[in-house]
Amino acid sequence: MTSDQLTKTAAHLSLTILIAAFGGSLFYFAGLPAAWLSGAMVFVAAATLAGVPTVMPDPLRDALFVVIGVSMGAGVSPDVVERIAEWPVSMALLLVVVVCVTLAGYLVLHFGAKWSRETAFFGAIPGALSYVIALATDRGADLPRIASSQSLRLFVLVAILPFAVVSTSGTVDGEGGVIEASSWFEIIIGLPLCLLASLVAHKLNVPGGLMTGAFFMSAGLNASGAWTLVLPFYLVLPCFVLMGAMIGCRFGAMTFRQFVSVLGASIAAFSAAFMMSILGALLISSLVDIPFGQALLAYAPGGLEVMTLLAFILDLDPAFVAAHQIARFTGMILLLPLITGLVLGRPKS
């Protein structure tokens, strides 16, 4: 990258961060839940669609994932081992929820919006966008529609889930990271371990490896009770803002016309799919002693890293949410080729 390109990227990044910080601040002072994350996302997305040159460089994004993973591990307490016994029932129901979510979205997009079978199928799959696009390419599906639908789904999830969780769980502080920070000695020892876990997980192609590797190492340290790894809030809060900006930047891949053209169908499909997640969360929260908001984040259709982060921000169980989102993501990766063949048949030659 030339010096001119670096200067241009730095200018665009500075503008993106400024917009994100303004949006997060506005949401925070308005008293909205998950304010720094959702406010940054909404304002950066709006600016991106309006033609403002927003950007989130890959190296910064990767570093962001690692730091957020470390910070989320602080939300895992030593009693997490006892709660693992609750997971098998909810994991079993997760399979049913994923099938219902995909089917609901497909029916709306294919029969309601009149999308082709291939485009509706891949547009309804909850998450794993890069993998879905790769499979859809071989099927001649409408890739811009699929990408737009998936981006809108994540946007709406982050925009409404904090309100849904707060309305059913009562008031939360909405900021996370309020636990007393570790000493610098604990941080200096713990951070390299989390970074190593991130690199290993990424190398092994673990879903969301850079974040989940750091998260589970940090969670393990905190859950053990032998070591406390809690980052100071002045380091964590900017990460919330940058994560929101990163989501907002995803809209740079579509034009405003594309956004408008898929808006109605995507929201309708999301609503149908989200209703399936709500029903699943209601069922599991009644069967097992799990808060409804926590179950809803675990069953939400997509966004492994973001759903786990929301669990941390909203003072729920990030380990529970991360485990279920990883299981969903991994299952989709392993089974999608087979399911695609069963649903759509062999690719056209």
Side-chain angles (χ1 to χ4, degrees), residues 23-24 27 32-43 155 158-159 162-163 240 244:
F27 274 42
L32 301 179
W36 295 104
L37 175 71
S38 56
M41 178 197 70
V42 168
F43 273 73
F155 178 88
V158 178
F163 294 96
F240 296 164

Side-chain angles (χ1 to χ4, degrees), residues 83 86-87 90 281 284-296 320 324:
R83 298 198 306 270
E86 304 169 348
W87 295 6
S90 58
I284 196 60
S285 63
S286 65
L287 293 176
V288 186
D289 186 21
I290 295 173
F292 169 75
Q294 179 177 309
L296 184 58
F320 178 88
H324 285 70

Side-chain angles (χ1 to χ4, degrees), residues 3-16:
S3 59
D4 288 343
Q5 290 174 322
L6 284 173
T7 301
K8 186 176 181 180
T9 299
H12 292 170
L13 175 60
S14 299
L15 179 59
T16 303

Side-chain angles (χ1 to χ4, degrees), residues 115-155:
W115 289 14
S116 69
R117 289 178 64 237
E118 290 79 8
T119 302
F121 174 73
F122 290 114
I125 293 173
L129 176 59
S130 298
Y131 191 60
V132 167
I133 290 295
L135 292 175
T137 302
D138 296 332
R139 297 281 177 164
D142 189 331
L143 300 185
R145 276 189 177 182
I146 294 170
S148 300
S149 176
Q150 295 272 10
S151 296
L152 276 167
R153 173 184 48 76
L154 181 60
F155 178 88

